[in-house]
Amino acid sequence: MMTNDLGSWLKKAKSLLQGQSDTPLLEAQVLAAHILQKPRSWVVSHTECLLDPPQLQALDEALMHLSAGVPLPYLTGNQEFYGIPLEVSPAVLIPRPETELLVETALEYLRLNPSARRVVDFGTGSGAIAICIAMEITDTSVIAVDISPEALRVARNNARRHQVDQRISFLLADLADPLVGTFDLVTANLPYIPSRDVRNLAVAKYEPVIALDGGADGLSLITRLLHDLPRLLATPGMALFEIEYRQGESAIQLAKALFPMARIEVHRDYAGNDRLLQIIT
């Protein structure tokens, strides 16, 4: 006998997602909350709720996509980052928890240096880094740069959502070419996966390859921006580049060649992997 209560659907969804997700029940609850347009807390506390045929159909279709590997944030259109909800779409990389290290390091620098308020963020994607900085340090002036018009549309939506769109300028550009002047803080979360590895990444099936593929060694775009950095970065100033876990030593050597007098180090993320190249002039 078929049952059409929410609890039975959650049980089915959990079973289907088991093995491909570390948190199958949580993902099922988040998906149900999105489809039913209810808070997740409501889903958890109303498992006896009866679902009508259109609701069941919508839930099953979404579950089919999720079990096929479509990332949950692309199905819900949202991802939480640094405590705030952000719109995401297949045009942008889904913000990752490890990028919060870059945000925390940037905010610490800006708080310790109250005259450092000119910021540029390269490869802004959903706008995650630029928006968090603008929200936390309310007198900053931020330029958010991306090569993708659709990514910038998502970033603008997020900036409006969090009421910082008046303090962020969005620039469609291939890295730093059109920029003039200097910046106190340069942040960059550019593609850094070596091309040979992108093909084997499950996320590359759904997330934009342009936001993942960093060329033969993964450092192509990072190297390009590093070579522009001497004209962009003020003295004193700080630049932060998110890197792949195997790129720490290479990134340090690239930076030292361009900034022999700077303080250069690589920070590890919460998993203990090299993750963030820091240059302080």
Side-chain angles (χ1 to χ4, degrees):
M1 179 178 175
M2 289 186 64
T3 54
N4 62 343
D5 60 277
L6 178 56
S8 296
W9 185 87
L10 289 169
K11 185 177 179 181
K12 176 183 73 174
K14 178 186 176 184
S15 176
L16 189 63
L17 298 172
Q18 203 91 42
Q20 73 177 65
S21 168
D22 294 331
T23 54
L25 181 57
L26 174 62
E27 290 201 6
Q29 292 167 346
V30 170
L31 189 64
H34 172 69
I35 297 296
L36 299 175
Q37 298 185 307
K38 299 285 189 181
R40 188 173 74 87
S41 58
W42 184 93
V43 170
V44 172
S45 60
H46 288 77
T47 52
E48 78 290 348
C49 175
L50 296 179
L51 303 166
D52 60 34
Q55 288 174 324
L56 273 172
Q57 182 179 353
L59 285 165
D60 285 342
E61 286 179 0
L63 178 60
M64 178 183 66
H65 290 302
L66 185 61
S67 64
V70 178
L72 180 61
Y74 286 162
L75 293 172
T76 64
N78 274 282
Q79 172 72 0
E80 186 170 298
F81 177 81
Y82 206 71
I84 65 169
L86 293 170
E87 173 191 332
V88 294
S89 81
V92 300
L93 207 64
I94 298 166
R96 303 302 206 267
E98 53 264 33
T99 303
E100 293 184 2
L101 174 64
L102 188 156
V103 172
E104 289 171 355
T105 307
L107 293 176
E108 180 182 17
Y109 180 80
L110 292 170
R111 288 177 180 132
L112 290 172
N113 296 274
S115 62
R117 291 297 179 261
R118 296 163 297 171
V119 180
V120 61
D121 177 45
F122 290 99
T124 201
S126 64
I129 294 168
I131 289 165
C132 287
I133 289 172
M135 288 179 68
E136 293 287 332
I137 311 294
T138 56
D139 58 344
T140 48
S141 173
V142 185
I143 298 177
V145 182
D146 207 285
I147 198 171
S148 163
E150 185 58 24
L152 287 178
R153 186 197 67 78
V154 174
R156 284 191 184 97
N157 287 348
N158 282 321
R160 281 193 291 269
R161 179 179 188 175
H162 294 291
Q163 301 179 329
V164 291
D165 51 308
Q166 297 303 309
R167 291 190 291 108
I168 301 177
S169 301
F170 295 93
L171 178 63
L172 180 67
D174 184 6
L175 296 181
D177 290 347
L179 289 173
V180 294
T182 59
F183 298 86
D184 305 304
L185 173 64
V186 175
T187 62
N189 187 7
L190 298 170
Y192 54 66
I193 306 297
S195 300
R196 66 183 179 277
D197 296 335
V198 171
R199 293 187 296 272
N200 301 320
L201 285 179
V203 297
K205 185 177 178 182
Y206 298 101
E207 298 191 68
V209 172
I210 193 174
L212 295 166
D213 193 337
D217 61 355
L219 289 165
S220 294
L221 278 85
I222 290 172
T223 300
R224 275 184 56 202
L225 186 54
L226 277 169
H227 277 91
D228 267 334
L229 202 58
R231 73 172 178 85
L232 290 173
L233 186 60
T235 303
M238 183 174 74
L240 296 170
F241 289 74
E242 184 166 314
I243 59 173
E244 200 230 24
Y245 69 97
R246 295 170 293 187
Q247 294 167 346
E249 191 55 42
S250 298
I252 285 176
Q253 294 309 315
L254 282 168
K256 282 183 175 177
L258 294 162
F259 293 92
M261 305 302 292
R263 197 172 95 217
I264 298 167
E265 58 185 310
V266 166
H267 297 277
R268 291 184 173 179
D269 61 22
Y270 309 119
N273 296 316
D274 286 352
R275 185 61 59 194
L276 186 64
L277 173 68
Q278 180 184 48
I279 303 167
I280 298 179
T281 57

